Amino acid sequence: MPVLAAIGLGALGVLLLWWSNTPAVSSFADVITNAGRILGLLAGYGVVVLVALMARLPPLERGIGTDRLARWHAMGGRYIISLITAHALLIIWGYALTAHTGVIQESGTLVLDYPDVMMATVAAFLLLGVGIVSARAARRRLRYETWYYLHFYTYLAIALAFSHQFATGADFVASPSARIGWSAFYLSVGSAVLWYRIVCPLRNLARHQFRVTGLNREAPGVVSVHIGGRYLDELRAEPGQFFRWRFLTRGLWWSANPYSLSAMPHPDVLRITVKENGDHSGAVSRLRPGTRVIAEGPYGSMAVSRTGRQVLLLAGGVGITPLRAMFAALPGDVTLIYRASDIGDVVFRDELETIAQARGARVHYLIGSRAQLGGDPLSARQLQALVPGLHRREAYLCGPAGMMEAAVTALRAAGVPRRRIHYESFEF
């Protein structure tokens, strides 16, 4: 993949930076110290790459997808924490060997006497803390908003650690060109974050004048929010995509949450549908008409297929929202399978029936527990029975993470190639 290749080439460039500024490695202490230097450079490069992956750059969001970017970010975060820890330990060890002192004494000397190392130490602990709260076990115990705002400490950590690279880094102390190139790299990514996460949303608010125009209760605990504005066709939003919405009202203005379009976008109105499943979504269901809105997007790679293949849409619960919009927009032969535990969880049934009748599409409702249905209704065998020629179709999924994981396994077992299975998850 081009993005991964570019990241790999950047890492190679970091190694060349070390090589060009290292005249010789002549002792065991030099080996240890230079191993620490290499890991430190890779860590400094890696944290900026992680920020870039989640900077909401449109080419990445639309070409790769938020879900995959988030997985790369999470995996990369674990590597970066390991690199930072190993960098610190190896530098301390290498310096101690060179100075013929103990590791503990050298640790104190580095932190207290070397310029800006104290700030870098604080940065390392901040990043370690962010890594801990991002672990799966910790995330399950945190509200999304808490987890989201703890991640802002990453920016503080990067700022704290930056100066020590120039103050003590052998690769930068005597090389003005290395300092200029490294600074340009950091500034470029920082500018992209400011542009796409702050400037563009505010510019869109001024241009499009987003406001809540009405709410409609679709099912128990499920509400559609209609958002009006000007020139919305300029956004070029497609069914299946999502925006990050910031509702400018008390209790919601500080948080931008992702919600998919649940209907075809129109030049003067967009619709999202929200299930009351927490403080934020509960407050969204009580919005008043006239509330101003900041919208970031559109994002997402799960847009309408242009391949001409037959399509399977597979929804679970309120995961029907992006697929409802795609159901109305997709050309050709489309089959929708809607999985729900209870009839009360089915959303948009009248709309789905109307769309299916108008275009000659098929809708299958799989409602009830596995025991009630006599087994797994989303097994490969059951899916093949419901959808003739399943292995030739393009498949789009949206629903709970467990359901999507099982559905992907079943589709693969039914012969659907992995490249034709599309989904995105907003779980943090």
Side-chain angles (χ1 to χ4, degrees):
M1 184 171 286
V3 173
L4 294 179
I7 293 172
L9 287 174
L12 179 60
V14 169
L15 295 178
L16 291 175
L17 173 64
W18 167 80
W19 181 269
S20 64
N21 290 283
T22 305
V25 178
S26 57
S27 67
F28 181 66
D30 282 349
V31 170
I32 299 301
T33 301
N34 278 280
R37 284 174 54 200
I38 292 170
L39 296 184
L41 287 169
L42 290 173
Y45 167 73
V47 292
V48 181
V49 170
L50 293 185
V51 171
L53 290 177
M54 301 307 289
R56 300 174 188 171
L57 307 179
L60 295 182
E61 291 276 352
R62 296 171 187 172
I64 298 174
T66 299
D67 184 64
R68 185 180 297 178
L69 288 172
R71 290 199 301 271
W72 290 357
H73 178 84
M75 182 184 300
R78 291 190 286 271
Y79 288 128
I80 295 304
I81 295 298
S82 300
L83 288 174
I84 291 171
T85 303
H87 160 70
L89 294 176
L90 289 172
I91 288 293
I92 293 169
W93 186 15
Y95 279 29
L97 289 173
T98 301
H100 303 289
T101 62
V103 169
I104 294 176
Q105 181 181 345
E106 189 63 31
S107 299
T109 301
L110 278 169
V111 172
L112 298 176
D113 296 344
Y114 280 67
D116 300 330
V117 173
M118 175 68 80
M119 290 194 298
T121 303
V122 173
F125 280 107
L126 283 174
L127 289 172
L128 179 60
V130 172
I132 291 172
V133 301
S134 297
R136 188 179 299 274
R139 291 202 312 265
R140 291 170 178 167
R141 292 174 169 81
L142 290 176
R143 295 168 60 241
Y144 171 82
E145 291 79 10
T146 302
W147 172 86
Y148 177 82
Y149 280 100
L150 283 173
H151 267 64
F152 279 111
Y153 284 106
T154 300
Y155 298 115
L156 175 60
I158 293 172
L160 289 172
F162 181 78
S163 61
H164 102 285
Q165 298 177 74
F166 288 176
T168 61
D171 304 284
F172 301 110
V173 169
S175 177
S177 60
R179 292 197 299 272
I180 291 171
W182 200 252
S183 299
F185 173 52
Y186 272 65
L187 287 172
S188 297
V189 174
S191 299
V193 171
L194 290 173
W195 179 258
Y196 287 110
R197 300 191 70 166
I198 297 176
V199 176
C200 285
L202 292 176
R203 185 185 62 178
N204 283 345
L205 174 63
R207 171 64 174 168
H208 300 293
Q209 298 290 307
F210 300 107
R211 291 180 184 273
V212 175
T213 58
L215 284 81
N216 184 56
R217 188 161 293 277
E218 306 288 357
V222 179
V223 174
S224 286
V225 181
H226 299 265
I227 299 166
R230 306 181 305 173
Y231 321 120
L232 301 187
D233 52 328
E234 294 178 0
L235 297 170
R236 298 183 180 178
E238 296 186 36
Q241 292 188 308
F242 68 94
F243 288 77
R244 288 185 171 90
W245 306 93
R246 189 185 302 271
F247 299 97
L248 302 184
T249 186
R250 183 178 180 181
L252 293 177
W253 64 268
W254 44 267
S255 178
N257 282 34
Y259 295 111
S260 299
L261 298 177
S262 63
M264 291 277 288
H266 294 280
D268 58 351
V269 67
L270 303 173
R271 187 182 78 174
I272 62 174
T273 301
V274 179
K275 183 176 182 179
E276 299 176 31
N277 192 27
D279 295 342
H280 187 277
S281 54
V284 169
S285 69
R286 297 186 294 273
L287 286 170
R288 295 182 178 180
T291 300
R292 300 188 74 182
V293 185
I294 294 177
E296 302 175 47
Y299 297 129
S301 59
M302 198 175 72
V304 171
S305 170
R306 307 297 182 189
T307 63
R309 290 192 182 92
Q310 297 174 318
V311 172
L312 168 66
L313 303 176
L314 181 52
V318 78
I320 188 64
T321 51
L323 302 188
R324 151 61 183 90
M326 296 177 71
F327 192 43
L330 280 164
D333 186 326
V334 181
T335 297
L336 169 64
I337 296 177
Y338 194 168
R339 177 80 174 97
S341 299
D342 185 83
I343 190 65
D345 295 330
V346 176
V347 185
F348 304 132
R349 184 158 193 165
D350 290 343
E351 294 184 19
L352 296 175
E353 297 290 350
T354 299
I355 294 170
Q357 184 176 5
R359 58 174 302 159
R362 291 168 296 281
V363 182
H364 300 286
Y365 300 97
L366 305 178
I367 301 171
S369 65
R370 290 191 177 190
Q372 292 171 325
L373 295 172
D376 182 5
L378 298 181
S379 67
R381 182 174 60 83
Q382 293 290 347
L383 290 175
Q384 287 172 318
L386 284 174
V387 188
L390 176 60
H391 63 285
R392 294 190 296 271
R393 291 183 179 252
E394 206 87 20
Y396 295 85
L397 287 63
C398 192
M403 187 214 81
M404 288 199 294
E405 183 177 349
V408 169
T409 301
L411 289 169
R412 294 289 290 112
V416 181
R418 181 64 186 83
R419 67 181 181 278
R420 287 203 244 125
I421 302 174
H422 313 277
Y423 62 90
E424 284 186 317
S425 172
F426 302 132
E427 293 199 349
F428 71 100

